[in-house]
Amino acid sequence: MRKIKEVFIEKSLLTSALITILVTLGIILVLSVEAVNFFKEVPIIDFLTDTQWTPLFTDKHFGIMPLLSGTLLTSFIAIAFAVPVGLSISIYISEYAPRSFRKSIKPALELLAAVPTVVYGFFALTVVTPFLQSFIPGLSGFNSLSAGLVMGIMIIPFVSSLSEDALHAVPNSLREAAYGMGSTKLQNSFRVLVPAASSGIIVSIILAISRAIGETMIVAIAAGQQPRLTMDPTVPVETITAYIVQVSLGDVEHGSLEYRTIFAAGITLFIFTFLLNTFSYKIRKKFREKYE
Amino acid sequence: MTQQVNENIVDKSIKRVHKLEARGVKVFYDNFEAIKGIDMQIKANKVTAFIGPSGCGKSTFLRLFDRMNDYVDGFRMEGEILIDGENIYKKKVNVEQLRKQVGMVFQKPNPFPKSIYENVAYGLKIQGIKDKKFLKEKVEESLKQVALWDEVKDDLNKSAMALSGGQQQRLCIARTLAVEPSIILMDEPTSALDPLSTAKIEELIYELKQKYTIVIVTHNMQQAGRISDYTAFFYLGELIEYDKSKKLFTNPEKQQTENYITGRFG
């Protein structure tokens, strides 16, 4: 009787694991099939080199570059904001803060990641943008700067929490060695601990980038819906994710070419995040070998 | 005139005899009393060994001399620790400066995950020294002092983590020597090493005492007998006996010391 129960539990655990894998494979399959259908009609070279993305207009262009530039620009702004802030926080919590404070501030910071992104989107649109407009006169109502900054706030805990874990995991013997040589706390942090924890810190940054690239609501609400190939953070742009939302919510006919564009855009996004995740997995593996 | 000069020499030698001194030192971790009132004087240019069973407070006591206990939660101390007659627990003491004078070698080799060269140059670099030629010379000199130069001179840019345990520990000593301290504290420096590496480090300690005052904590009584001039026996946070090593190991005054060194407990 006991044995049957064991077998049953084992099989159900296996099933849950398999379901997850199957769903992932299913998503990849659907993305690929629809994307292949799309590329039958639009040459892949046009997709990669055309500088306009206007599938919903009569003069149709299918260049992914404007969407990609929107995604990269907002992500870059978010990362440029989140990495220095997040890293400073992690060093402060790990090396400077009293232990009791560390215990309460970490969960508090992680709350930032728990705020629904739609709230962040409205925060960007209705608070940050007007605030920025007060000293950047040419700033449009929709822009990548404000969306990027707020996205940066959202991903701070990804950077700070994981980097702090990495710093905290550096063996105490290294801290003692550095202090024993006469290092100040600052020298210890930047010359010994950050380099020693670098792989963990890099992983945290990659995950943050991956999160920023895939983020949807904030950019859909605050960055606008105008695909344009630009590096100007003050004008409206459209990201890959925002485009997918726009089309999914619109009245595009099922199975049409316009409909398939979202799969082409989706697979581009997927390739990016997949590469980033693989990269971070590789670094994490290296990291594990180093300390165990 | 001659009289005056002689007096100066005498003064200096008196000052130099006792490099380190503890006066009425008590250490608490929260409410636990780890050191229960120790007075002790440690001579310059000698090797002094601290022995005693685990938990007797010898490591805690050693770490007082470069204030490494400051980072331990709940640490509190009473009394005075003097180096060259200066209380190092006074408020205005610059701890970083103090640690440049008092080097420390730890139980487990703990090189930085950097190159061999960077490890040895670290202490000088954080003092703001950027002169490449000077750094290079100093790195070479320090590695030669620990007899590691011939083994690593072609691999200075390799990671220190690739060295063997014994080489890492000698590297850690070289790193300490590079900043030219006058005192070297060693906390069981050979306990993680094989016998051959241990012999090399012991030989090194013997040579280093010409220039440095060395205090070494060890679990190995043969080691204490081999390398130290003076030995202090600690038990339950108290200094039980402190004498010339020869005397302490052959003819101890106290029964507790005899019990410990003959292996009846500990």
Side-chain angles (χ1 to χ4, degrees):
Chain A
M1 193 57 212
R2 182 157 207 159
K3 192 129 188 240
I4 297 171
K5 210 170 143 193
E6 284 287 322
V7 171
F8 177 74
I9 291 172
E10 192 194 320
K11 294 291 175 226
S12 42
L13 290 177
L14 180 68
T15 316
S16 342
L18 286 179
I19 288 174
T20 327
I21 297 171
L22 283 177
V23 168
T24 315
L25 288 178
I27 292 173
I28 296 174
L29 191 72
V30 171
L31 267 181
S32 314
V33 168
E34 293 287 352
V36 165
N37 286 337
F38 171 80
F39 287 120
K40 275 183 192 150
E41 290 176 62
V42 177
I44 200 157
I45 191 86
D46 287 0
F47 181 71
L48 293 177
T49 56
D50 200 327
T51 55
Q52 282 180 13
W53 179 260
T54 54
L56 306 180
F57 296 171
T58 27
D59 176 25
K60 290 188 195 317
H61 285 276
F62 299 97
I64 192 70
M65 283 211 294
L67 292 185
L68 202 55
S69 77
T71 294
L72 294 181
L73 180 61
T74 48
S75 301
F76 175 79
I77 293 168
I79 293 299
F81 179 68
V83 167
V85 176
L87 205 53
S88 315
I89 293 174
S90 68
I91 290 172
Y92 174 75
I93 298 176
S94 159
E95 302 306 315
Y96 287 83
R99 211 162 40 151
S100 52
F101 187 57
R102 174 173 190 265
K103 272 190 191 147
S104 53
I105 192 156
K106 254 192 118 179
L109 261 174
E110 278 158 16
L111 264 185
L112 276 181
V115 175
T117 52
V118 65
V119 175
Y120 276 119
F122 270 96
F123 176 66
L125 185 66
T126 60
V127 179
V128 178
T129 299
F131 171 71
L132 289 174
Q133 274 168 333
S134 66
F135 48 91
I136 306 175
L139 196 68
S140 342
F142 295 106
N143 61 78
S144 45
L145 182 62
S146 160
L149 285 178
V150 172
M151 200 151 78
I153 295 173
M154 181 197 70
I155 59 179
I156 282 173
F158 285 79
V159 179
S160 69
S161 201
L162 290 172
S163 297
E164 200 272 340
D165 289 343
L167 286 169
H168 203 69
V170 174
N172 238 341
S173 62
L174 277 187
R175 279 185 192 85
E176 289 191 327
Y179 285 133
M181 299 293 299
S183 311
T184 60
K185 258 191 177 172
L186 199 68
Q187 287 169 332
N188 188 11
S189 302
F190 283 98
R191 289 178 183 242
V192 176
L193 299 174
V194 169
S198 56
S199 30
I201 293 172
I202 291 170
V203 167
S204 82
I205 294 171
I206 293 173
L207 286 184
I209 295 175
S210 172
R211 185 76 182 76
I213 286 180
E215 170 50 35
T216 309
M217 276 327 277
I218 298 176
V219 284
I221 293 172
Q225 299 192 332
Q226 299 175 26
R228 80 171 84 197
L229 187 56
T230 176
M231 282 294 132
D232 179 359
T234 61
V235 295
V237 294
E238 181 162 45
T239 66
I240 298 176
T241 50
Y243 172 77
I244 294 174
V245 171
Q246 184 193 357
V247 173
S248 308
L249 297 180
D251 45 10
V252 173
E253 193 191 329
H254 234 262
S256 65
L257 182 63
E258 290 83 353
Y259 171 75
R260 287 193 182 121
T261 55
I262 64 175
F263 292 94
I267 205 155
T268 313
L269 195 63
F270 177 76
I271 288 170
F272 264 85
T273 46
F274 178 76
L275 287 179
L276 284 169
N277 277 7
T278 316
F279 189 43
S280 85
Y281 179 76
K282 286 243 163 80
I283 291 180
R284 224 178 320 172
K285 233 172 80 182
K286 201 177 130 208
F287 177 64
R288 229 179 268 142
E289 280 162 8
K290 208 161 105 191
Y291 280 120
E292 282 171 15
Chain B
M1 193 62 205
T2 325
Q3 189 75 26
Q4 189 101 34
V5 170
N6 278 344
E7 264 178 24
N8 278 342
I9 290 169
V10 171
D11 271 345
K12 264 187 190 165
S13 63
I14 286 172
K15 208 180 167 193
R16 287 196 60 192
V17 166
H18 300 304
K19 186 76 182 168
L20 305 171
E21 196 174 344
R23 286 185 191 159
V25 169
K26 289 183 179 182
V27 171
F28 301 86
Y29 293 124
D30 294 319
N31 291 322
F32 171 71
E33 192 173 3
I35 304 279
K36 298 168 180 167
I38 289 183
D39 292 281
M40 187 180 189
Q41 292 168 332
I42 293 173
K43 286 201 166 71
N45 293 72
K46 299 284 178 202
V47 178
T48 304
F50 290 179
I51 61 167
S54 299
C56 68
K58 57 191 189 303
S59 280
T60 295
F61 190 62
L62 181 81
R63 292 161 66 100
L64 288 175
F65 292 101
D66 69 344
R67 295 189 54 167
M68 284 306 271
N69 290 329
D70 291 17
Y71 302 105
V72 179
D73 280 306
F75 166 78
R76 185 160 58 82
M77 89 159 238
E78 289 172 13
E80 290 181 337
I81 295 280
L82 297 97
I83 293 180
D84 291 328
E86 290 283 328
N87 182 6
I88 59 166
Y89 280 84
K90 273 192 302 200
K91 273 230 168 84
K92 62 172 185 186
V93 167
N94 179 333
V95 181
E96 285 82 39
Q97 213 56 47
L98 166 77
R99 294 200 183 117
K100 280 163 198 163
Q101 197 198 336
V102 187
M104 184 140 191
V105 178
F106 298 85
Q107 185 171 357
K108 245 180 83 187
N110 55 358
F112 300 124
K114 297 173 185 280
S115 71
I116 294 170
Y117 177 88
E118 287 297 330
N119 261 280
V120 184
Y122 178 84
L124 297 165
K125 280 192 168 175
I126 58 169
Q127 293 180 30
I129 296 169
K130 291 201 180 85
D131 182 352
K132 283 235 168 82
K133 195 166 159 258
F134 176 79
L135 287 174
K136 248 184 164 163
E137 282 170 9
K138 209 70 199 147
V139 168
E140 181 173 341
E141 185 193 319
S142 309
L143 287 171
K144 277 181 174 161
Q145 271 182 287
V146 299
L148 194 60
W149 176 252
D150 289 332
E151 293 164 53
V152 301
K153 65 181 172 205
D154 301 321
D155 305 321
L156 289 180
N157 292 319
K158 273 199 191 158
S159 168
M161 309 308 266
L163 297 173
S164 75
Q167 288 175 321
Q168 286 188 1
Q169 194 63 304
R170 277 185 282 151
L171 179 70
C172 291
I173 298 176
R175 176 175 74 183
T176 306
L177 297 181
V179 291
E180 300 184 344
S182 60
I183 299 157
I184 301 177
L185 308 174
M186 298 184 167
D187 191 354
E188 299 186 43
T190 61
S191 66
L193 304 182
D194 61 88
L196 207 71
S197 305
T198 301
K200 277 189 182 164
I201 303 249
E202 287 184 6
E203 211 173 293
L204 178 62
I205 290 170
Y206 189 80
E207 279 164 29
L208 290 176
K209 77 171 177 181
Q210 318 297 331
K211 279 177 73 182
Y212 305 93
T213 302
I214 296 173
V215 186
I216 179 170
V217 165
T218 177
H219 257 115
N220 182 334
M221 274 172 288
Q222 283 80 20
Q223 181 172 65
R226 275 195 302 266
I227 61 174
S228 69
D229 302 295
Y230 292 87
T231 298
F233 172 60
F234 292 82
Y235 186 60
L236 297 177
E238 282 177 275
L239 177 60
I240 306 295
E241 191 166 347
Y242 176 37
D243 212 327
K244 287 198 165 141
S245 299
K246 255 189 202 142
K247 168 88 170 32
L248 190 130
F249 281 109
T250 52
N251 187 19
E253 302 264 326
K254 302 265 170 60
Q255 188 60 41
Q256 272 172 308
T257 315
E258 189 173 342
N259 288 348
Y260 183 70
I261 60 175
T262 53
R264 249 171 266 172
F265 79 99

